[in-house]
Amino acid sequence: MADAPVNNSLTPQPGHLYVVATPIGNLADLTERARAILGSVDLVACEDTRTTGGLLTRYGLRRDLIAYHDHNETEVAERLADQLAAGKSIAVVSDAGTPAISDPGFRLVRACRRRGLPVVPVPGPCAITAVLSASGLPTNGFLFAGFLVAKTAARTAFLEKYRDFDFTLALYESCHRIDKFAEEIVATLGPDRVVCIAKEVTKLHETFLIGRAADVRDRLLKGSLKGEFVVLIAPTDFIL
Ligand code: SAM
């Protein structure tokens, strides 16, 4: 395991992997350090070369890109770790937000950690922390469970398991299931449970629906169900 301090300057160091967060909507949210690192690493590993190519072009940057996504993660992670071991500097990004958070990245980071190669976070946007921080729901602790599986029985079982959890539950949900999920929360946890459903955060149509689960569901169903959603569920006894 590497235990030497890593170099946190704006200049990528040989053999270092940079885990770089990119905007979740608002392009002004790319940090200065992210921009500097993305503009000068030897290679950028990204989910979709067109998406990241477009992002880099918006910032006037050009770099060599390599596809690293859900379908080739295991194999490409080892190849990238080989290149890092040979002295290349590499940044990993996802299409939006923080890599490895419900996005590719974990396998590459683990491959580097296993080999003792330095891994440097370049923090920035992440949908879950953005929503939690602005929700007004308890932030003293939270359980982030990513995306729930599609099957209703498993989703209900998850909600039942955490019914009396002491901290906020935080989840990602797709636009195809957000209406169903809002119904499931009301049915399983009751109409009075305090929830937050946030949509299109940092984008033009950013919306926070906060309150009783039944009211939030009704307001959600009145609006457009397109876009990207984060769901927070407050602990049982929480009053807004
Ligand atoms: N790694 C990303 C991050 O750090 O936020 C998350 C990637 S995950 C594949 C995509 C999910 O994150 C979306 O389906 C949605 O649940 C959530 N998400 C991403 N951007 C969002 C936004 N601008 N507003 C609300 N939710 C968002």
Side-chain angles (χ1 to χ4, degrees):
M1 285 298 213
D3 52 8
V6 294
N7 184 319
N8 279 318
S9 75
L10 297 180
T11 310
Q13 303 300 300
H16 285 49
L17 174 70
Y18 294 86
V19 184
V20 181
T22 58
I24 55 169
N26 190 327
L27 291 180
D29 289 340
L30 189 79
T31 68
E32 189 181 340
R33 187 150 79 100
R35 192 174 174 148
I37 295 292
L38 287 177
S40 51
V41 279
D42 294 320
L43 186 63
V44 177
C46 55
E47 253 189 297
D48 182 328
T49 51
R50 276 172 306 178
T51 303
T52 299
L55 182 79
L56 294 187
T57 303
R58 293 291 290 266
Y59 296 107
L61 308 173
R62 266 178 82 101
R63 287 291 99 191
D64 284 345
L65 303 177
I66 180 171
Y68 168 76
H69 44 64
D70 285 340
H71 307 292
N72 69 7
E73 238 195 306
T74 307
E75 172 212 335
V76 175
E78 292 303 327
R79 274 201 273 134
L80 291 173
D82 289 343
Q83 296 193 45
L84 286 157
K88 280 205 171 178
S89 61
I90 298 178
V92 59
V93 298
S94 59
D95 283 351
T98 301
I101 305 301
S102 294
D103 259 342
F106 162 70
R107 286 193 172 75
L108 175 56
V109 171
R110 183 176 60 177
C112 291
R113 292 295 184 195
R114 281 179 170 165
R115 297 189 195 198
L117 298 166
V119 180
V120 184
V122 183
C126 179
I128 210 74
T129 48
V131 170
L132 189 65
S133 67
S135 67
L137 270 60
T139 54
N140 54 324
F142 68 98
L143 173 75
F144 172 54
F147 288 96
L148 292 186
V149 293
K151 289 206 172 112
T152 305
R155 296 155 69 87
T156 304
F158 173 87
L159 291 175
E160 272 167 0
K161 180 172 177 186
Y162 290 101
R163 173 191 301 279
D164 299 318
F165 191 58
D166 288 335
F167 302 105
T168 297
L169 297 177
L171 299 128
Y172 288 153
E173 187 53 283
S174 109
C175 58
H176 307 297
R177 279 193 289 271
I178 189 67
D179 48 349
K180 191 168 157 251
F181 191 36
E183 294 286 5
E184 287 165 350
I185 293 171
V186 174
T188 311
L189 302 179
D192 296 325
R193 190 69 168 245
V194 173
V195 303
C196 164
I197 297 185
K199 172 178 143 179
E200 296 289 88
V201 175
T202 78
K203 302 183 195 175
L204 189 61
H205 297 292
E206 176 177 294
T207 310
F208 277 74
L209 303 175
I210 301 166
R212 292 175 66 244
D215 297 338
V216 166
R217 173 203 55 196
D218 294 347
R219 287 160 64 200
L220 175 80
L221 296 180
K222 279 192 197 129
S224 160
L225 294 176
K226 288 196 189 130
E228 300 198 274
F229 294 87
V230 169
V231 178
L232 304 179
I233 303 171
T236 328
D237 51 1
F238 178 71
I239 299 165
L240 193 65

